[in-house]
Amino acid sequence: MGAPSLFSAFPEALRLRLQSLAVPRNFAAGQIIQQHGDEANGFWVIEQGQVKIGRYGDGGRFQVIAILGQGDSYGELAMFGRFARVVDAVAVNDVRLYWISSARMDRIIEEEPSVSRELLRLLSGQLQEALDMLIARRRLPAKRRLAKSLLLLVRGTEGSAVVNFTQEDLAELVGTSRMTISVALADMEARGLVKRSYGRIEICDIARLEDC
Amino acid sequence: MGAPSLFSAFPEALRLRLQSLAVPRNFAAGQIIQQHGDEANGFWVIEQGQVKIGRYGDGGRFQVIAILGQGDSYGELAMFGRFARVVDAVAVNDVRLYWISSARMDRIIEEEPSVSRELLRLLSGQLQEALDMLIARRRLPAKRRLAKSLLLLVRGTEGSAVVNFTQEDLAELVGTSRMTISVALADMEARGLVKRSYGRIEICDIARLEDC
DNA sequence: GACAGAATGTCAAATAGTTTACAATCTAAG
DNA sequence: CTTAGATTGTAAACTATTTGACATTCTGTC
């Protein structure tokens, strides 16, 4: 969610061009790719594997914000905003990434105004979405907030999907306690919306989950 | 808050240039300037007076999101994002606005890549801020959320300030009930942080409000 | 295949916040 | 100066959620 993935929304031609210019890099499972506070002079595109985005909280526990997969990008926000990395990124499994430097991106923006316009459009859309969420989620009961969060995590998929989050992660994400999540999930399972298993949630019927 | 005001963050030179090209327009107190659903082919800059941004909820009640004043702009997000207006805007008093069309803005982006970069930087910063808020605010008790919202409303001011919101408006904004706001404000007043009056809150000590 | 650590299920008590309801106060319009 | 409507103060009953505590189940590892 939150963590935008602008790259996958780029027009095909630009994606290919960037990829051909980019520097490929590999990381092993569990390796830290970027850390909170690092300088942001570029961004990453995931070619293969998965990356956990989140933050090491008090007590060293990693609080997941999103898990990104193939075709997703991250780090554009800090790069464009010219602020330091605010999140940590860790390789879930062995991953292959492309690195696109801010210098490279700057040149493209210079050469093609259409790219700027597209970027502005995407960023504006995401900001609007974030603002909507701030307004919409506030007074909903925990169960419905959970439903919304799950839907955001599997956005783009149809039918069924799997979310590789522990209930504790979900609790952090939704802004509630693990016990509330546990009860809410049991309720959803009883209604055939999801299936609980160890460390992951299977979403059976995305369409039906939409109406709470 | 939420509602971004990119214009006031533009570099001086660009602001002046845009203003010289813009079309001035006046609205009387209470007049509706834009409506939810309108096409967004430009944005407004406030030259004089105040504009309420919000939404007509169920029962015709206007839910305030922000009150903007001189130098603030609004409507950029829908314009850049190429989606329809999502909020309504109403003139609080007699206002004088500048209208800057998307065609005009497009031309400037085309001519000056530095403007694109600046816009991307500003939007990214605001998106990050919104995401932070989504994460940070979730589990705070209502009192602290209120403190944060008040601070956002008077962002940029030092020492003391006035917020022209009813307690009901604040409740909507914070995402809680009017009674909770009433009690929280009474508590804050007892501690000398704010002064309550009819339809507005005076914030006495912004610095002290920051540490909740 | 046994084990440790991680993740989940579940319960009772405590608490923050909501709802409902009504009284008190303020403001603007006659 | 009155009055109607809007805004605020307050209290009691109710509800959702949290906290804390413990049992159970799962999974990877030796």
Side-chain angles (χ1 to χ4, degrees):
Chain A
M1 61 149 251
S5 187
L6 291 185
F7 185 82
S8 57
F10 283 3
E12 176 85 13
L14 177 58
R15 276 215 312 273
L16 291 175
R17 181 161 149 222
L18 277 172
Q19 233 163 54
S20 71
L21 293 168
V23 183
R25 250 192 98 182
N26 297 315
F27 290 88
Q31 218 178 336
I32 293 175
I33 301 169
Q34 72 172 33
Q35 272 182 307
H36 173 236
D38 288 355
E39 195 196 353
N41 49 5
F43 71 98
W44 298 100
V45 180
I46 301 173
E47 167 69 2
Q48 198 171 56
Q50 290 182 309
V51 173
K52 268 194 300 191
I53 307 291
R55 209 154 174 180
Y56 285 101
D58 319 323
R61 204 196 140 69
F62 191 76
Q63 290 180 6
V64 184
I65 295 173
I67 295 183
L68 303 180
Q70 197 188 345
D72 289 331
S73 61
Y74 64 93
E76 319 88 314
L77 215 54
M79 182 191 81
F80 284 129
R82 284 178 227 146
F83 43 81
R85 304 287 184 207
V86 291
V87 291
D88 303 296
V90 180
V92 174
N93 29 43
D94 290 358
V95 295
R96 185 179 174 75
L97 306 176
Y98 285 124
W99 168 255
I100 296 165
S101 70
S102 62
R104 174 90 56 199
M105 203 63 215
D106 267 3
R107 207 164 334 132
I108 289 175
I109 287 174
E110 197 125 353
E111 286 164 9
E112 290 188 37
S114 68
V115 173
S116 305
R117 276 199 292 265
E118 186 63 8
L119 284 171
L120 286 170
R121 187 179 72 75
L122 293 168
L123 271 178
S124 298
Q126 292 196 346
L127 178 50
Q128 185 58 50
E129 200 178 321
L131 293 174
D132 278 351
M133 197 144 38
L134 270 172
I135 294 171
R137 279 233 229 155
R138 283 181 302 207
R139 297 194 64 172
L140 297 180
K143 266 181 207 176
R144 298 190 57 189
R145 295 207 312 273
L146 170 61
K148 292 210 173 214
S149 290
L150 285 176
L151 285 169
L152 261 178
L153 285 171
V154 301
R155 168 166 62 180
T157 328
E158 305 232 337
S160 66
V162 171
V163 175
N164 282 305
F165 274 52
T166 68
Q167 294 191 6
E168 182 122 28
D169 287 340
L170 273 178
E172 287 286 349
L173 200 63
V174 175
T176 184
S177 67
R178 184 182 63 79
M179 296 70 160
T180 305
I181 295 292
S182 178
V183 172
L185 282 174
D187 184 72
M188 282 179 178
E189 186 170 274
R191 288 191 288 153
L193 296 171
V194 303
K195 267 191 200 135
R196 292 170 291 174
S197 51
Y198 194 80
R200 70 209 200 98
I201 311 292
E202 212 177 312
I203 297 172
C204 307
D205 192 341
I206 294 185
R208 214 143 59 81
L209 194 60
E210 309 238 4
D211 25 273
C212 181
Chain B
M1 57 151 251
S5 187
L6 290 185
F7 185 82
S8 56
F10 283 3
E12 175 87 14
L14 176 60
R15 276 214 315 273
L16 291 174
R17 182 161 149 223
L18 277 171
Q19 232 164 55
S20 72
L21 294 168
V23 184
R25 250 192 97 182
N26 298 315
F27 291 87
Q31 216 176 337
I32 293 174
I33 301 169
Q34 73 172 34
Q35 272 182 307
H36 172 233
D38 287 355
E39 194 197 354
N41 50 5
F43 70 98
W44 299 100
V45 180
I46 303 173
E47 165 70 2
Q48 199 171 57
Q50 289 181 308
V51 174
K52 268 193 300 192
I53 306 293
R55 208 152 175 182
Y56 285 101
D58 320 321
R61 203 194 142 70
F62 191 76
Q63 291 180 7
V64 184
I65 294 173
I67 296 183
L68 303 179
Q70 196 188 343
D72 289 330
S73 61
Y74 64 94
E76 318 89 315
L77 215 53
M79 181 191 82
F80 285 127
R82 284 178 227 144
F83 44 81
R85 304 287 184 204
V86 290
V87 292
D88 304 296
V90 180
V92 174
N93 30 45
D94 290 359
V95 294
R96 184 178 175 77
L97 305 176
Y98 285 123
W99 169 254
I100 296 164
S101 72
S102 61
R104 173 89 58 198
M105 202 63 215
D106 267 2
R107 206 165 333 134
I108 288 175
I109 286 174
E110 196 126 353
E111 288 164 9
E112 290 189 37
S114 68
V115 172
S116 306
R117 276 199 291 264
E118 185 64 9
L119 283 170
L120 285 170
R121 187 179 70 76
L122 293 168
L123 271 178
S124 299
Q126 291 194 348
L127 178 50
Q128 185 57 52
E129 200 179 323
L131 293 174
D132 278 352
M133 200 144 38
L134 269 173
I135 294 171
R137 279 230 230 160
R138 284 180 302 206
R139 298 193 62 170
L140 297 179
K143 265 180 206 175
R144 297 190 56 188
R145 295 207 312 272
L146 170 61
K148 291 209 176 217
S149 290
L150 285 175
L151 286 170
L152 260 178
L153 286 171
V154 301
R155 170 166 60 182
T157 328
E158 305 232 338
S160 65
V162 170
V163 175
N164 282 305
F165 275 51
T166 67
Q167 295 191 4
E168 183 122 26
D169 288 338
L170 274 178
E172 286 285 350
L173 200 62
V174 175
T176 185
S177 68
R178 185 182 63 77
M179 296 71 164
T180 304
I181 295 292
S182 179
V183 171
L185 283 174
D187 184 72
M188 283 179 177
E189 185 168 276
R191 288 192 287 153
L193 296 172
V194 305
K195 268 192 199 135
R196 292 170 291 175
S197 51
Y198 194 82
R200 70 205 200 101
I201 311 293
E202 212 177 311
I203 295 171
C204 306
D205 192 340
I206 294 184
R208 215 140 59 79
L209 194 60
E210 308 238 4
D211 26 271
C212 180

